[in-house]
Amino acid sequence: MEQNNSLPPFQGLASPQGAMTPGMPIFSPMMPYGSGLTPQPVTNTNSLSLLEEQHRQQQQHSGQTPQLYHSQTVTTTTLPGNTPLYTTTPLTPMTPITPATPASESSGIVPQLQNIVSTVNLGCKLDLKTIALRARNAEYNPKRFAAVIMRIREPRTTALIFSSGKMVCTGAKSEEQSRLAARKYARVVQKLGFPAKFLDFKIQNMVGSCDVKFPIRLEGLVLTHQQFSSYEPELFPGLIYRMIKPRIVLLIFVSGKVVLTGAKVRGEIYEAFENIYPILKGFRKTT
Amino acid sequence: MATVGLKCPECGSLDIVDDEHYSQPQLVCADCGAVVSEGLLTTTRSEETQGTDVRYSNSTEVDKKPCRNLINGIHRVRALCRILRLTFLMEETAETHFKQAYEHPNFIRVSLQKKEVLAGCCVLATCRQHSWPIAMGTICCLLEANPRLIGVVYQEMVKTLKIEAPPTSIINLLETHCQAYKLSPQHVHEELSESSKDLTKRAAVLLELAADAWLVTGRQPIPILTASIFLAWQSLKPTQTRLKYTLARFCQMAKVTKSSIAPKRVTELKEVLCKLGQELPWLRGDEVTPQTVIQMVDDILNHRLTLLRRALSSHEEALASESPDTGSVQQQGDHSQPSVPNSGKRSLFEPPSVRYAKIRRVQVPVVEVTGDEEISDSEIDSYIRTPQEIRDYVEAKEALASSDDEL
């Protein structure tokens, strides 16, 4: 890629989707670099939310329908970049570990656990070929993966059983179910003739999800909580929020659905949700 | 004493020392000066490199040269900056980032492919830091790499170097994107041409409307940009010629790649415009269809705040009249969705993912379990093959294997 400035611009370059490299002249004053075009944290100029505010106030105070040619008190957008697209609140100066939560009542929404991943040590070496041969619910493809994949119906879970005797159990909806499932797998392996034990059962990861029931402005959230959030619509439609205390990763979507993962205990998920709920409420836009 | 037990042949003294005559090592008797033995005058290459105390690579003789991949990477960064016509300062910043990232333990051992992508990611981060609007898709095309890989490398790089790179807002991307459309009079027929400035202005308003109506959040930015520019172009001069143009044809004319998602965005945006267009007082309640709305876009955008207000109030009235009816229906028992509808549904605009929510699989009721229950033998036996089954399975496998061999 040894190109110099004398090459005519963009010739020969494939222009597939996304190649909007502009044919703008260099150093032109119109060129969009520098200040002025980054969304600044200013007061609300989001037309829809402002209208809803006014609407609500009018409904409360007068109860009349608004006049047709009501003088518009809001600024209309002119050129791009002069008005920010989304409402933002001023950035907090410090870097809080926990997002600041006002002393309000709890959300009333309880996240549901969707998946628990746990591990256990069966304490003996296993012959995977024998297990795959003699068990009905096992699959083993050594070229693809070096473990037996076993499934049971109740609780509906999947286990990866390794030749070292270690096992990973996934798919349970609660800690107790995960433990019961792991015990059942251990019992199957026992019945197949191996001296399996049940050592060091540990929950490694818990995933929960819930719905806050209102749409969320992700662009606003990423601006105010930049140090925690990552929002790349070109890569993934949701915002990835890495909470530090408790150490949970949240996937927040525009529909209001939230997925929480990375917890070792149930309480971390609940705590993380209680922390994020007031923040999300701040980005609620509907009446 | 150089070596123990060596005796000088001349005087018989045991005092032999290591001495060098210039570069030739010699064993010399300290008493009489006789040379007992001497080493080679010259050394072989292997002795030079392996026999020295100080490693060649650590000695001052070796000039620390940057590895070839680093040089290639820096060239790539510079080339990308020149293609994108970035300022000199930005080029320097990108180069610094690349060098830092390349030498970091997180990146020094990654595959060559990732190192190539790293160059593009450094340029992207620099552009974001300097508020230069550029989409990840652009870098993707310039590098001809997988967008997912770029995403992964970019996020890791930002985390490793701890740089703050705020994502570009979509409205900034619009102007850049607009410039790529070749719609000036020298490129297309005069009736179809449009100045970039007007197009940008109109498209910006449409884009803001789309953002308010939840069409932008969480979605790919480029299709919605294409859609707003297309509708802006159509609405600036809504002649029959322009209205007959489909999005695909428009993209072909403007020499821009078409996307499969942009037509959907056009439909969605037209729906929003229809909702607002419905409130125009001089229509007196006439139906506004997506076909007829383009001519009205001018009016709609000029008065959009008023129209929004009216649309909101008429929507609320519609809901208010609906709710006493739905209340009685629900008492009779219905098979509606078990979940409470999202409050977004009750507002005029809601994100499409809410409006067209996927039908959820019926949730299996969670059985309360303690984890220490008794496990019945019969249940476990149901997971184990009978001896007959095992025999059948082995036979079948052998038959399959032999038939494969025959083939």
Side-chain angles (χ1 to χ4, degrees), chain A residues 205-224:
Chain A
N205 186 27
M206 300 175 76
V207 180
S209 74
C210 58
D211 190 357
V212 299
K213 310 269 196 292
F214 52 81
I216 302 168
R217 287 269 173 223
L218 301 178
E219 304 88 354
L221 182 56
V222 76
L223 281 175
T224 50

PDB file of all heavy atoms in Angstrom, chain A residues 205-224:
ATOM      1  N   ASN A 205     -20.646 -19.082  36.628  1.00  0.00           N
ATOM      2  CA  ASN A 205     -21.241 -17.919  35.974  1.00  0.00           C
ATOM      3  C   ASN A 205     -22.755 -18.009  36.056  1.00  0.00           C
ATOM      4  O   ASN A 205     -23.312 -19.108  35.959  1.00  0.00           O
ATOM      5  CB  ASN A 205     -20.795 -17.874  34.510  1.00  0.00           C
ATOM      6  CG  ASN A 205     -21.271 -16.614  33.817  1.00  0.00           C
ATOM      7  OD1 ASN A 205     -21.482 -15.594  34.450  1.00  0.00           O
ATOM      8  ND2 ASN A 205     -21.468 -16.688  32.513  1.00  0.00           N
ATOM      9  N   MET A 206     -23.386 -16.847  36.231  1.00  0.00           N
ATOM     10  CA  MET A 206     -24.848 -16.815  36.234  1.00  0.00           C
ATOM     11  C   MET A 206     -25.300 -15.715  35.291  1.00  0.00           C
ATOM     12  O   MET A 206     -24.729 -14.615  35.284  1.00  0.00           O
ATOM     13  CB  MET A 206     -25.358 -16.518  37.646  1.00  0.00           C
ATOM     14  CG  MET A 206     -24.906 -17.566  38.630  1.00  0.00           C
ATOM     15  SD  MET A 206     -25.352 -17.187  40.305  1.00  0.00           S
ATOM     16  CE  MET A 206     -27.048 -17.560  40.341  1.00  0.00           C
ATOM     17  N   VAL A 207     -26.325 -16.018  34.496  1.00  0.00           N
ATOM     18  CA  VAL A 207     -26.854 -15.049  33.536  1.00  0.00           C
ATOM     19  C   VAL A 207     -28.307 -14.788  33.867  1.00  0.00           C
ATOM     20  O   VAL A 207     -29.077 -15.724  34.042  1.00  0.00           O
ATOM     21  CB  VAL A 207     -26.758 -15.609  32.096  1.00  0.00           C
ATOM     22  CG1 VAL A 207     -27.301 -14.589  31.107  1.00  0.00           C
ATOM     23  CG2 VAL A 207     -25.337 -15.981  31.759  1.00  0.00           C
ATOM     24  N   GLY A 208     -28.668 -13.508  33.932  1.00  0.00           N
ATOM     25  CA  GLY A 208     -30.050 -13.152  34.196  1.00  0.00           C
ATOM     26  C   GLY A 208     -30.542 -12.150  33.169  1.00  0.00           C
ATOM     27  O   GLY A 208     -29.750 -11.496  32.492  1.00  0.00           O
ATOM     28  N   SER A 209     -31.848 -12.014  33.062  1.00  0.00           N
ATOM     29  CA  SER A 209     -32.382 -11.033  32.132  1.00  0.00           C
ATOM     30  C   SER A 209     -33.662 -10.449  32.685  1.00  0.00           C
ATOM     31  O   SER A 209     -34.340 -11.074  33.491  1.00  0.00           O
ATOM     32  CB  SER A 209     -32.657 -11.678  30.781  1.00  0.00           C
ATOM     33  OG  SER A 209     -33.793 -12.489  30.864  1.00  0.00           O
ATOM     34  N   CYS A 210     -33.983  -9.240  32.234  1.00  0.00           N
ATOM     35  CA  CYS A 210     -35.245  -8.618  32.620  1.00  0.00           C
ATOM     36  C   CYS A 210     -35.585  -7.518  31.639  1.00  0.00           C
ATOM     37  O   CYS A 210     -34.815  -7.219  30.721  1.00  0.00           O
ATOM     38  CB  CYS A 210     -35.176  -8.080  34.042  1.00  0.00           C
ATOM     39  SG  CYS A 210     -33.879  -6.899  34.264  1.00  0.00           S
ATOM     40  N   ASP A 211     -36.737  -6.917  31.861  1.00  0.00           N
ATOM     41  CA  ASP A 211     -37.260  -5.911  30.942  1.00  0.00           C
ATOM     42  C   ASP A 211     -37.699  -4.710  31.761  1.00  0.00           C
ATOM     43  O   ASP A 211     -38.512  -4.850  32.679  1.00  0.00           O
ATOM     44  CB  ASP A 211     -38.463  -6.525  30.201  1.00  0.00           C
ATOM     45  CG  ASP A 211     -38.942  -5.659  29.063  1.00  0.00           C
ATOM     46  OD1 ASP A 211     -38.388  -4.551  28.882  1.00  0.00           O
ATOM     47  OD2 ASP A 211     -39.870  -6.069  28.368  1.00  0.00           O
ATOM     48  N   VAL A 212     -37.172  -3.541  31.452  1.00  0.00           N
ATOM     49  CA  VAL A 212     -37.554  -2.360  32.220  1.00  0.00           C
ATOM     50  C   VAL A 212     -38.823  -1.722  31.672  1.00  0.00           C
ATOM     51  O   VAL A 212     -39.335  -0.771  32.257  1.00  0.00           O
ATOM     52  CB  VAL A 212     -36.422  -1.298  32.265  1.00  0.00           C
ATOM     53  CG1 VAL A 212     -35.195  -1.865  32.925  1.00  0.00           C
ATOM     54  CG2 VAL A 212     -36.094  -0.781  30.904  1.00  0.00           C
ATOM     55  N   LYS A 213     -39.311  -2.234  30.537  1.00  0.00           N
ATOM     56  CA  LYS A 213     -40.602  -1.830  29.981  1.00  0.00           C
ATOM     57  C   LYS A 213     -40.644  -0.410  29.421  1.00  0.00           C
ATOM     58  O   LYS A 213     -41.717   0.170  29.305  1.00  0.00           O
ATOM     59  CB  LYS A 213     -41.741  -1.994  31.006  1.00  0.00           C
ATOM     60  CG  LYS A 213     -41.821  -3.329  31.687  1.00  0.00           C
ATOM     61  CD  LYS A 213     -42.728  -4.255  30.891  1.00  0.00           C
ATOM     62  CE  LYS A 213     -43.154  -5.458  31.690  1.00  0.00           C
ATOM     63  NZ  LYS A 213     -42.095  -6.381  32.001  1.00  0.00           N
ATOM     64  N   PHE A 214     -39.499   0.188  29.121  1.00  0.00           N
ATOM     65  CA  PHE A 214     -39.543   1.446  28.374  1.00  0.00           C
ATOM     66  C   PHE A 214     -38.324   1.490  27.469  1.00  0.00           C
ATOM     67  O   PHE A 214     -37.287   0.905  27.787  1.00  0.00           O
ATOM     68  CB  PHE A 214     -39.593   2.666  29.307  1.00  0.00           C
ATOM     69  CG  PHE A 214     -38.530   2.702  30.360  1.00  0.00           C
ATOM     70  CD1 PHE A 214     -37.240   3.149  30.073  1.00  0.00           C
ATOM     71  CD2 PHE A 214     -38.806   2.306  31.661  1.00  0.00           C
ATOM     72  CE1 PHE A 214     -36.257   3.176  31.054  1.00  0.00           C
ATOM     73  CE2 PHE A 214     -37.833   2.335  32.647  1.00  0.00           C
ATOM     74  CZ  PHE A 214     -36.559   2.771  32.337  1.00  0.00           C
ATOM     75  N   PRO A 215     -38.419   2.174  26.326  1.00  0.00           N
ATOM     76  CA  PRO A 215     -37.253   2.241  25.425  1.00  0.00           C
ATOM     77  C   PRO A 215     -36.164   3.151  25.990  1.00  0.00           C
ATOM     78  O   PRO A 215     -36.450   4.068  26.755  1.00  0.00           O
ATOM     79  CB  PRO A 215     -37.834   2.787  24.125  1.00  0.00           C
ATOM     80  CG  PRO A 215     -39.101   3.432  24.493  1.00  0.00           C
ATOM     81  CD  PRO A 215     -39.601   2.807  25.740  1.00  0.00           C
ATOM     82  N   ILE A 216     -34.941   2.885  25.625  1.00  0.00           N
ATOM     83  CA  ILE A 216     -33.791   3.571  26.215  1.00  0.00           C
ATOM     84  C   ILE A 216     -32.946   4.223  25.115  1.00  0.00           C
ATOM     85  O   ILE A 216     -32.686   3.620  24.075  1.00  0.00           O
ATOM     86  CB  ILE A 216     -32.909   2.553  26.967  1.00  0.00           C
ATOM     87  CG1 ILE A 216     -33.717   1.844  28.044  1.00  0.00           C
ATOM     88  CG2 ILE A 216     -31.708   3.241  27.609  1.00  0.00           C
ATOM     89  CD1 ILE A 216     -33.018   0.658  28.625  1.00  0.00           C
ATOM     90  N   ARG A 217     -32.508   5.436  25.374  1.00  0.00           N
ATOM     91  CA  ARG A 217     -31.635   6.157  24.432  1.00  0.00           C
ATOM     92  C   ARG A 217     -30.188   5.745  24.694  1.00  0.00           C
ATOM     93  O   ARG A 217     -29.523   6.287  25.559  1.00  0.00           O
ATOM     94  CB  ARG A 217     -31.742   7.672  24.644  1.00  0.00           C
ATOM     95  CG  ARG A 217     -33.017   8.269  24.171  1.00  0.00           C
ATOM     96  CD  ARG A 217     -32.922   8.725  22.723  1.00  0.00           C
ATOM     97  NE  ARG A 217     -34.238   9.162  22.236  1.00  0.00           N
ATOM     98  CZ  ARG A 217     -34.730   8.854  21.065  1.00  0.00           C
ATOM     99  NH1 ARG A 217     -34.066   8.103  20.237  1.00  0.00           N
ATOM    100  NH2 ARG A 217     -35.915   9.298  20.713  1.00  0.00           N
ATOM    101  N   LEU A 218     -29.725   4.772  23.920  1.00  0.00           N
ATOM    102  CA  LEU A 218     -28.381   4.247  24.164  1.00  0.00           C
ATOM    103  C   LEU A 218     -27.297   5.274  23.874  1.00  0.00           C
ATOM    104  O   LEU A 218     -26.253   5.284  24.532  1.00  0.00           O
ATOM    105  CB  LEU A 218     -28.152   3.003  23.311  1.00  0.00           C
ATOM    106  CG  LEU A 218     -29.133   1.857  23.561  1.00  0.00           C
ATOM    107  CD1 LEU A 218     -28.831   0.707  22.629  1.00  0.00           C
ATOM    108  CD2 LEU A 218     -29.064   1.387  24.997  1.00  0.00           C
ATOM    109  N   GLU A 219     -27.534   6.150  22.900  1.00  0.00           N
ATOM    110  CA  GLU A 219     -26.484   7.129  22.568  1.00  0.00           C
ATOM    111  C   GLU A 219     -26.265   8.081  23.730  1.00  0.00           C
ATOM    112  O   GLU A 219     -25.135   8.496  23.999  1.00  0.00           O
ATOM    113  CB  GLU A 219     -26.874   7.967  21.345  1.00  0.00           C
ATOM    114  CG  GLU A 219     -27.192   7.191  20.100  1.00  0.00           C
ATOM    115  CD  GLU A 219     -28.663   6.781  20.014  1.00  0.00           C
ATOM    116  OE1 GLU A 219     -29.424   7.013  20.983  1.00  0.00           O
ATOM    117  OE2 GLU A 219     -29.024   6.221  18.982  1.00  0.00           O
ATOM    118  N   GLY A 220     -27.338   8.424  24.403  1.00  0.00           N
ATOM    119  CA  GLY A 220     -27.203   9.298  25.561  1.00  0.00           C
ATOM    120  C   GLY A 220     -26.470   8.610  26.692  1.00  0.00           C
ATOM    121  O   GLY A 220     -25.602   9.194  27.345  1.00  0.00           O
ATOM    122  N   LEU A 221     -26.800   7.350  26.892  1.00  0.00           N
ATOM    123  CA  LEU A 221     -26.179   6.599  27.989  1.00  0.00           C
ATOM    124  C   LEU A 221     -24.680   6.453  27.778  1.00  0.00           C
ATOM    125  O   LEU A 221     -23.892   6.580  28.709  1.00  0.00           O
ATOM    126  CB  LEU A 221     -26.846   5.227  28.093  1.00  0.00           C
ATOM    127  CG  LEU A 221     -26.387   4.290  29.198  1.00  0.00           C
ATOM    128  CD1 LEU A 221     -26.517   4.937  30.545  1.00  0.00           C
ATOM    129  CD2 LEU A 221     -27.222   3.018  29.175  1.00  0.00           C
ATOM    130  N   VAL A 222     -24.276   6.222  26.528  1.00  0.00           N
ATOM    131  CA  VAL A 222     -22.841   6.042  26.308  1.00  0.00           C
ATOM    132  C   VAL A 222     -22.094   7.362  26.499  1.00  0.00           C
ATOM    133  O   VAL A 222     -20.920   7.370  26.870  1.00  0.00           O
ATOM    134  CB  VAL A 222     -22.559   5.412  24.924  1.00  0.00           C
ATOM    135  CG1 VAL A 222     -22.708   6.403  23.808  1.00  0.00           C
ATOM    136  CG2 VAL A 222     -21.183   4.809  24.887  1.00  0.00           C
ATOM    137  N   LEU A 223     -22.767   8.483  26.302  1.00  0.00           N
ATOM    138  CA  LEU A 223     -22.075   9.764  26.491  1.00  0.00           C
ATOM    139  C   LEU A 223     -21.876  10.076  27.961  1.00  0.00           C
ATOM    140  O   LEU A 223     -20.828  10.585  28.356  1.00  0.00           O
ATOM    141  CB  LEU A 223     -22.879  10.886  25.836  1.00  0.00           C
ATOM    142  CG  LEU A 223     -22.736  10.998  24.324  1.00  0.00           C
ATOM    143  CD1 LEU A 223     -23.673  12.057  23.810  1.00  0.00           C
ATOM    144  CD2 LEU A 223     -21.316  11.340  23.955  1.00  0.00           C
ATOM    145  N   THR A 224     -22.902   9.759  28.779  1.00  0.00           N
ATOM    146  CA  THR A 224     -22.771  10.134  30.178  1.00  0.00           C
ATOM    147  C   THR A 224     -22.000   9.109  30.994  1.00  0.00           C
ATOM    148  O   THR A 224     -21.447   9.441  32.014  1.00  0.00           O
ATOM    149  CB  THR A 224     -24.155  10.313  30.811  1.00  0.00           C
ATOM    150  OG1 THR A 224     -24.916   9.156  30.503  1.00  0.00           O
ATOM    151  CG2 THR A 224     -24.847  11.525  30.269  1.00  0.00           C
TER     152      THR A 224
END
